[in-house]
């Protein structure tokens, strides 16, 4: 299906949207305000202010859980209600759901964190899976100018492991 709405067209959502445009998709980019709509139009996406109106075949939910759990899950429910299931619903989660914080190896089966942020994401993942959507837990979503690696790159030495959380 070539119709896609990105719910949360921030840094990650916009980058995915641009890749999907190159693949021939029609991409609608949903934001809370119109402040980035000029940039969204400039790359060929269709801007849209947050709404409960519409029906979309494929949805990318790329909003981080910075608000409280209740409002985050309400926002996820709203996005799920826009999905007509002719394509995929993809929820961008995070490897921050894992409990490991000391540079150890993390796998898909590692223990999960009990922090509020992690629990908010884990509950959201369950919501998406129950609705037959897809959950991604990406790691290392940084570029050359942002992310924890910018600090470690400035250090002469580091005792971090190469296969750790920050490698």
């Amino acid at each position: 299906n070539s119709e896609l709405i990105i719910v949360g067209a921030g840094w990650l959502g916009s980058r995915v949207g641009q890749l999907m445009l190159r693949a021939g998709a029609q991409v609608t980019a949903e934001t809370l305000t119109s402040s980035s709509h000029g940039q969204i139009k400039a790359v060929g996406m269709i801007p849209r202010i947050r709404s409960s109106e519409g029906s979309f075949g494929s949805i990318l939910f790329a909003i981080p859980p910075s608000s409280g759990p209740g409002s985050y899950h309400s926002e996820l429910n709203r996005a799920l209600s826009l999905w007509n299931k002719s394509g995929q619903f993809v929820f961008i989660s995070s490897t921050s759901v894992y409990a490991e914080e000391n540079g150890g190896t993390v796998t898909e089966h590692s223990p999960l964190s009990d922090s509020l942020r992690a629990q908010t994401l884990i509950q959201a993942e369950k919501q998406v899976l129950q609705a037959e959507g897809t959950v991604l837990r990406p790691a290392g979503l940084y570029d050359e100018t942002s992310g924890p690696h910018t600090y470690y790159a400035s250090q002469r030495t580091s005792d971090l492991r190469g296969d750790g959380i920050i490698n």
Side-chain angles (χ1 to χ4, degrees):
N1 195 330
S2 63
E3 72 175 289
L4 167 68
I5 184 170
I6 298 171
V7 177
W11 183 84
L12 175 60
S14 292
R15 290 186 87 158
V16 172
Q18 290 175 41
L19 291 172
M20 295 304 296
L21 283 171
R22 287 188 217 136
Q26 176 183 318
V27 180
T28 300
E30 184 180 83
T31 59
L32 280 175
T33 69
S34 61
S35 64
S36 62
H37 284 190
Q39 295 165 312
I40 289 169
K41 285 180 186 174
V43 297
M45 292 185 276
I46 302 163
R48 162 186 155 119
I49 294 285
R50 181 184 174 274
S51 173
S52 293
E53 307 275 321
S55 174
F56 296 87
S58 294
I59 297 177
L60 173 68
F61 188 90
I63 299 174
S66 53
S67 58
S71 58
Y72 189 70
H73 294 293
S74 295
E75 190 64 25
L76 180 56
N77 281 331
R78 183 193 64 80
L80 283 165
S81 76
L82 299 172
W83 184 32
N84 67 27
K85 295 195 175 189
S86 66
Q88 292 292 316
F89 187 102
V90 177
F91 175 79
I92 303 293
S93 185
S94 170
T95 55
S96 69
V97 300
Y98 296 112
E100 176 57 49
E101 294 180 348
N102 297 315
T105 301
V106 174
T107 71
E108 205 170 301
H109 306 290
S110 294
L112 300 176
S113 172
D114 59 1
S115 74
L116 178 60
R117 177 182 166 80
Q119 289 303 306
T120 299
L121 283 170
I122 292 164
Q123 285 298 89
E125 289 177 0
K126 289 177 183 176
Q127 242 179 299
V128 169
L129 293 173
Q130 189 173 28
E132 300 177 353
T134 301
V135 171
L136 295 178
R137 289 180 179 165
L141 291 179
Y142 312 115
D143 63 18
E144 57 278 353
T145 61
S146 67
H149 63 286
T150 57
Y151 166 78
Y152 290 106
S154 71
Q155 304 302 302
R156 292 179 64 78
T157 62
S158 172
D159 59 356
L160 294 175
R161 295 172 35 161
D163 61 352
I165 293 174
I166 299 173
N167 58 19

